[in-house]
Amino acid sequence: MKIERLLGILFYLLNRENVSEAKLAAQFNVSRRTIIRDIDTLTLAGIPIYSEVGVKGGYSIHQDYKLNDKIVDQANYDYILLALQSLKSVYGEQKVNETYEKVKHLYGDDKSNRHVFKIDFSIVNENTEVNSVTSKLRKAIFG
Protein backbone atom coordinates (compact mmCIF):
# COMPACT_ATOMS: atom_id res chain seq x y z
CA MET A 1 0.00 0.00 0.00
CA LYS A 2 1.36 3.38 -0.98
CA ILE A 3 0.63 5.23 2.28
CA GLU A 4 2.43 2.55 4.31
CA ARG A 5 5.43 2.76 1.97
CA LEU A 6 5.46 6.58 2.20
CA LEU A 7 5.42 6.43 5.98
CA GLY A 8 8.07 3.73 5.90
CA ILE A 9 10.31 5.88 3.70
CA LEU A 10 9.73 8.89 5.94
CA PHE A 11 10.75 7.04 9.10
CA TYR A 12 13.64 5.29 7.35
CA LEU A 13 15.04 8.66 6.25
CA LEU A 14 14.43 10.24 9.66
CA ASN A 15 16.58 7.57 11.31
CA ARG A 16 19.50 7.88 8.90
CA GLU A 17 21.73 10.69 7.67
CA ASN A 18 21.76 9.89 3.95
CA VAL A 19 20.18 7.05 1.97
CA SER A 20 20.71 6.30 -1.69
CA GLU A 21 17.85 5.84 -4.09
CA ALA A 22 18.98 2.26 -4.79
CA LYS A 23 19.04 1.44 -1.07
CA LEU A 24 15.51 2.79 -0.62
CA ALA A 25 14.28 0.83 -3.65
CA ALA A 26 15.81 -2.37 -2.26
CA GLN A 27 14.49 -1.72 1.26
CA PHE A 28 10.91 -1.21 0.07
CA ASN A 29 10.96 -3.68 -2.84
CA VAL A 30 10.03 -1.12 -5.49
CA SER A 31 11.71 0.42 -8.51
CA ARG A 32 13.97 3.44 -8.31
CA ARG A 33 11.37 5.35 -10.33
CA THR A 34 8.76 4.60 -7.65
CA ILE A 35 11.14 5.95 -5.00
CA ILE A 36 11.53 9.17 -7.00
CA ARG A 37 7.72 9.54 -7.19
CA ASP A 38 7.39 8.79 -3.47
CA ILE A 39 10.07 11.35 -2.56
CA ASP A 40 8.23 13.91 -4.72
CA THR A 41 4.98 13.08 -2.88
CA LEU A 42 6.63 13.50 0.53
CA THR A 43 8.19 16.79 -0.56
CA LEU A 44 4.83 18.08 -1.76
CA ALA A 45 3.42 17.14 1.67
CA GLY A 46 5.90 19.55 3.27
CA ILE A 47 8.59 17.10 4.41
CA PRO A 48 12.00 18.82 3.99
CA ILE A 49 13.78 16.11 1.98
CA TYR A 50 17.08 17.04 0.40
CA SER A 51 18.98 15.19 -2.28
CA GLU A 52 22.67 15.11 -3.02
CA VAL A 53 24.21 13.89 -6.25
CA GLY A 54 27.40 11.91 -6.65
CA VAL A 55 28.89 8.72 -5.32
CA LYS A 56 28.02 9.54 -1.72
CA GLY A 57 24.73 11.15 -2.67
CA GLY A 58 21.24 10.23 -1.62
CA TYR A 59 18.21 11.54 0.21
CA SER A 60 18.13 13.04 3.68
CA ILE A 61 15.80 15.00 5.90
CA HIS A 62 16.97 18.11 7.68
CA GLN A 63 18.33 17.10 11.09
CA ASP A 64 16.10 19.55 12.97
CA TYR A 65 12.90 18.15 11.48
CA LYS A 66 10.90 16.10 13.99
CA LEU A 67 7.39 14.76 14.02
CA ASN A 68 5.22 15.79 16.95
CA ASP A 69 7.02 14.49 20.03
CA LYS A 70 4.46 15.68 22.57
CA ILE A 71 2.69 12.31 22.53
CA VAL A 72 4.76 10.64 25.25
CA ASP A 73 7.18 11.87 27.88
CA GLN A 74 10.80 10.73 28.19
CA ALA A 75 10.08 7.91 30.66
CA ASN A 76 7.33 6.52 28.41
CA TYR A 77 9.64 6.68 25.45
CA ASP A 78 12.51 4.94 27.28
CA TYR A 79 10.26 2.00 28.17
CA ILE A 80 8.71 1.79 24.71
CA LEU A 81 12.12 1.73 23.03
CA LEU A 82 13.43 -0.85 25.52
CA ALA A 83 10.44 -3.09 24.88
CA LEU A 84 10.83 -2.80 21.13
CA GLN A 85 14.55 -3.55 21.32
CA SER A 86 13.75 -6.68 23.30
CA LEU A 87 11.07 -7.71 20.80
CA LYS A 88 13.50 -7.13 17.92
CA SER A 89 16.04 -9.46 19.50
CA VAL A 90 13.48 -12.18 20.28
CA TYR A 91 11.25 -12.09 17.20
CA GLY A 92 13.35 -10.46 14.51
CA GLU A 93 10.16 -9.94 12.49
CA GLN A 94 9.83 -7.21 9.88
CA LYS A 95 6.82 -5.56 11.60
CA VAL A 96 8.75 -5.26 14.87
CA ASN A 97 11.66 -3.69 12.99
CA GLU A 98 9.30 -1.27 11.23
CA THR A 99 7.70 -0.28 14.53
CA TYR A 100 11.13 0.25 16.10
CA GLU A 101 12.12 2.52 13.20
CA LYS A 102 8.98 4.61 13.64
CA VAL A 103 9.23 4.98 17.41
CA LYS A 104 13.00 5.53 17.44
CA HIS A 105 12.54 8.71 15.46
CA LEU A 106 10.33 10.41 18.03
CA TYR A 107 13.26 11.25 20.28
CA GLY A 108 16.36 9.67 18.74
CA ASP A 109 18.85 7.32 20.37
CA ASP A 110 20.85 10.14 21.94
CA LYS A 111 18.03 10.98 24.38
CA SER A 112 16.95 7.47 25.21
CA ASN A 113 18.03 4.85 27.69
CA ARG A 114 19.37 7.22 30.36
CA HIS A 115 17.75 5.85 33.51
CA VAL A 116 16.12 2.63 32.43
CA PHE A 117 16.97 -0.75 33.88
CA LYS A 118 17.74 -2.98 30.92
CA ILE A 119 17.74 -6.70 30.36
CA ASP A 120 19.36 -7.82 27.11
CA PHE A 121 17.35 -10.58 25.44
CA SER A 122 19.65 -10.85 22.42
CA ILE A 123 21.12 -14.10 23.79
CA VAL A 124 17.71 -15.66 23.17
CA ASN A 125 18.40 -15.21 19.47
CA GLU A 126 21.22 -17.76 19.72
CA ASN A 127 18.78 -20.54 20.58
CA THR A 128 16.50 -21.44 17.68
CA GLU A 129 14.32 -23.55 19.98
CA VAL A 130 13.48 -20.49 22.09
CA ASN A 131 12.61 -18.56 18.91
CA SER A 132 10.38 -21.42 17.78
CA VAL A 133 8.58 -21.67 21.14
CA THR A 134 8.15 -17.89 21.29
CA SER A 135 6.64 -17.86 17.82
CA LYS A 136 4.29 -20.72 18.67
CA LEU A 137 3.16 -19.04 21.88
CA ARG A 138 2.48 -15.82 20.02
CA LYS A 139 0.42 -17.63 17.39
CA ALA A 140 -1.50 -19.55 20.08
CA ILE A 141 -2.37 -16.36 21.96
CA PHE A 142 -3.12 -14.04 19.05
CA GLY A 143 -4.17 -16.56 16.39
Side-chain angles (χ1 to χ4, degrees):
M1 193 171 244
K2 184 175 180 174
I3 190 69
E4 289 175 353
R5 187 177 63 247
L6 289 171
L7 287 171
I9 291 170
L10 173 62
F11 285 108
Y12 196 82
L13 290 174
L14 284 168
N15 291 322
R16 288 160 183 80
E17 287 186 29
N18 193 0
V19 182
S20 72
E21 186 178 288
K23 174 94 174 158
L24 284 171
Q27 176 70 26
F28 294 97
N29 298 317
V30 294
S31 70
R32 292 173 71 174
R33 180 68 189 134
T34 298
I35 292 297
I36 292 170
R37 285 192 299 266
D38 288 348
I39 294 296
D40 288 343
T41 301
L42 290 169
T43 303
L44 288 171
I47 309 297
I49 298 176
Y50 301 95
S51 63
E52 293 184 36
V53 295
V55 176
K56 295 184 180 182
Y59 296 107
S60 60
I61 296 180
H62 193 275
Q63 64 186 14
D64 293 334
Y65 180 79
K66 293 281 184 188
L67 295 177
N68 188 352
D69 61 355
K70 308 287 187 265
I71 300 168
V72 295
D73 64 16
Q74 186 61 47
N76 296 142
Y77 172 73
D78 287 339
Y79 286 114
I80 290 169
L81 193 59
L82 176 62
L84 287 171
Q85 286 171 336
S86 296
L87 285 173
K88 271 178 57 173
S89 67
V90 173
Y91 291 116
E93 293 179 4
Q94 183 62 28
K95 278 295 183 188
V96 176
N97 291 331
E98 288 173 13
T99 305
Y100 178 79
E101 286 287 327
K102 291 174 183 177
V103 172
K104 182 177 134 183
H105 162 71
L106 290 176
Y107 292 93
D109 282 338
D110 58 326
K111 294 182 184 178
S112 67
N113 305 321
R114 284 185 269 183
H115 305 298
V116 176
F117 178 73
K118 294 183 182 183
I119 299 173
D120 184 7
F121 288 105
S122 61
I123 193 162
V124 172
N125 236 4
E126 296 173 11
N127 187 338
T128 56
E129 186 177 324
V130 172
N131 286 344
S132 175
V133 170
T134 304
S135 180
K136 288 176 185 175
L137 284 172
R138 188 170 156 262
K139 286 178 184 174
I141 293 170
F142 298 110

